[in-house]
């Protein structure tokens, strides 16, 4: 992939994911008693945004609304990140509306480029950055990208992978294979979108790859190698 650095002003966690100056919907907080006794479906229902308010929100506000929502971390309660986020996307109208926006691919690419990974330190910031990377890797985003946006996304993700690898030498927060989970999902969804023969054949012949893309198993070294190898070949073909 292109090793050129993408030049964009980097932001710290607060600047990248803060709520200041945004028009967000104010949910009534749940009491301790409500958390304990209210059915989960009812809790989810009470985290839907009224349609008239929802339609007035811009793409950035929809994303920030989700990452700061008190039930957003339910996505982490599943066996895999992919499984958790697919379930979460289906539950909240703020995410369903987000994925309808025409500016969504450019928004996510720009957001991925502007976050300063070295400033992703505390748990809250790690979660916000996780949401950015996982939501941007989904088929709803990939499917709306044109060729230029796809190449930009691949280069951006490639740079993120490089930065994570560098940080893994000194920061324990980046030393697990799951640190690359979101990027591998994005790579896979791109190749599925273009029906890239080597990857489609790989999913047919290798059950493990198929199960990973469907969110049933977690990432491991073998999967990283298989997906990255296919992506390097695909990138050369798309960029030719």
């Amino acid at each position: 992939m292109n090793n050129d650095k993408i030049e964009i002003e980097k932001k710290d966690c607060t600047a990248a994911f803060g709520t200041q100056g945004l028009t967000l919907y104010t949910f009534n907080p749940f009491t301790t008693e409500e958390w304990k006794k209210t059915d989960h479906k009812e809790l989810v229902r009470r985290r839907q945004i009224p349609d008239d308010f929802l339609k007035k929100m811009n793409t950035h506000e929809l994303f920030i609304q989700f990452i700061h929502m008190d039930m957003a971390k339910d996505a982490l309660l599943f066996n895999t990140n992919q499984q958790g986020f697919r379930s979460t996307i289906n539950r909240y109208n703020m995410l369903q509306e987000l994925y309808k926006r025409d500016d969504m691919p450019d928004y996510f690419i720009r957001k991925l480029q502007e976050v300063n990974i070295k400033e992703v330190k505390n748990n809250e910031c790690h979660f916000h950055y996780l949401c950015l990377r996982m939501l941007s890797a989904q088929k709803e985003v990939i499917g709306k990208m044109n060729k230029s946006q796809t190449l930009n996304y691949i280069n951006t993700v490639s740079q993120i992978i490089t930065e994570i690898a560098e940080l893994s030498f000194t920061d324990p927060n980046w030393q697990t294979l799951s640190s690359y989970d979101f990027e591998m999902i994005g790579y896979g969804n791109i190749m599925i979108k273009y029906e890239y023969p080597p990857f489609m054949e790989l999913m047919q012949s290798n059950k493990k790859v198929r199960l990973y893309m469907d969110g049933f198993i977690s990432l491991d070294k073998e999967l990283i190698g298989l997906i990255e190898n296919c992506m390097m070949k695909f990138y050369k073909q798309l960029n030719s």
Side-chain angles (χ1 to χ4, degrees):
M1 268 76 89
N2 187 355
N3 291 321
D4 294 337
K5 293 290 184 181
I6 297 169
E7 296 298 330
I8 191 169
E9 181 184 357
K10 297 290 186 180
K11 295 183 179 181
D12 65 21
C13 187
T14 302
F17 301 118
T19 63
Q20 186 174 0
L22 301 182
T23 303
L24 304 180
Y25 188 74
T26 303
F27 292 112
N28 291 324
F30 296 122
T31 65
T32 303
E33 196 70 12
E34 285 175 316
W35 277 118
K36 291 179 180 179
K37 294 187 176 181
T38 306
D39 179 78
H40 188 262
K41 287 184 178 180
E42 174 60 17
L43 294 177
V44 170
R45 188 192 69 78
R46 289 164 62 179
R47 286 300 176 260
Q48 307 304 315
I49 300 175
D51 193 61
D52 58 341
F53 192 100
L54 189 72
K55 299 299 181 183
K56 294 177 183 178
M57 299 176 74
N58 63 39
T59 302
H60 180 57
E61 288 168 342
L62 289 167
F63 172 69
I64 296 298
Q65 179 88 59
F66 171 72
I67 66 174
H68 286 280
M69 183 184 64
D70 50 7
M71 293 183 67
K73 290 181 181 177
D74 282 3
L76 305 180
L77 302 179
F78 292 74
N79 291 330
T80 69
N81 288 313
Q82 177 67 353
Q83 192 178 68
F85 274 86
R86 287 314 309 173
S87 176
T88 301
I89 290 164
N90 292 331
R91 288 178 178 172
Y92 298 102
N93 63 358
M94 66 189 81
L95 291 181
Q96 292 157 17
E97 179 65 26
L98 172 66
Y99 280 147
K100 294 177 183 177
R101 301 300 175 88
D102 290 335
D103 66 336
M104 173 191 55
D106 283 328
Y107 169 76
F108 274 123
I109 293 168
R110 184 177 68 254
K111 202 71 179 169
L112 287 168
Q113 292 171 355
E114 76 177 17
V115 176
N116 186 346
I117 299 181
K118 293 179 181 178
E119 297 297 325
V120 179
K121 295 177 180 179
N122 60 56
N123 290 339
E124 203 66 21
C125 191
H126 268 281
F127 176 69
H128 294 165
Y129 190 47
L130 180 157
C131 289
L132 171 63
R133 292 158 63 211
M134 201 59 176
L135 290 175
S136 65
Q138 297 304 311
K139 59 186 180 181
E140 289 86 350
V141 183
I142 303 299
K144 286 191 175 184
M145 290 181 184
N146 58 33
K147 179 180 176 180
S148 176
Q149 290 168 327
T150 302
L151 289 169
N152 195 359
Y153 175 82
I154 295 171
N155 283 327
T156 300
V157 166
S158 177
Q159 185 171 318
I160 290 172
I161 290 172
T162 299
E163 292 175 344
I164 290 175
E166 291 172 354
L167 282 171
S168 69
F169 289 106
T170 57
D171 189 340
N173 288 312
W174 299 105
Q175 290 172 358
T176 64
L177 290 175
S178 63
S179 296
Y180 305 95
D181 197 8
F182 324 102
E183 289 67 38
M184 295 304 111
I185 290 292
Y187 278 174
N189 278 330
I190 286 174
M191 291 186 283
I192 291 171
K193 172 191 172 180
Y194 282 87
E195 297 183 349
Y196 182 53
F199 191 69
M200 303 308 287
E201 292 166 8
L202 181 63
M203 289 212 301
Q204 286 296 319
S205 63
N206 191 317
K207 183 180 179 181
K208 191 174 179 181
V209 175
R210 187 167 65 254
L211 288 173
Y212 171 68
M213 289 304 302
D214 288 339
F216 292 113
I217 63 173
S218 300
L219 189 65
D220 62 23
K221 285 185 177 180
E222 180 187 4
L223 285 165
I224 291 175
L226 290 169
I227 294 171
E228 281 199 315
N229 184 54
C230 265
M231 175 49 69
M232 289 179 70
K233 296 173 183 176
F234 170 78
Y235 178 85
K236 289 179 181 178
Q237 178 177 307
L238 188 65
N239 198 36
S240 61

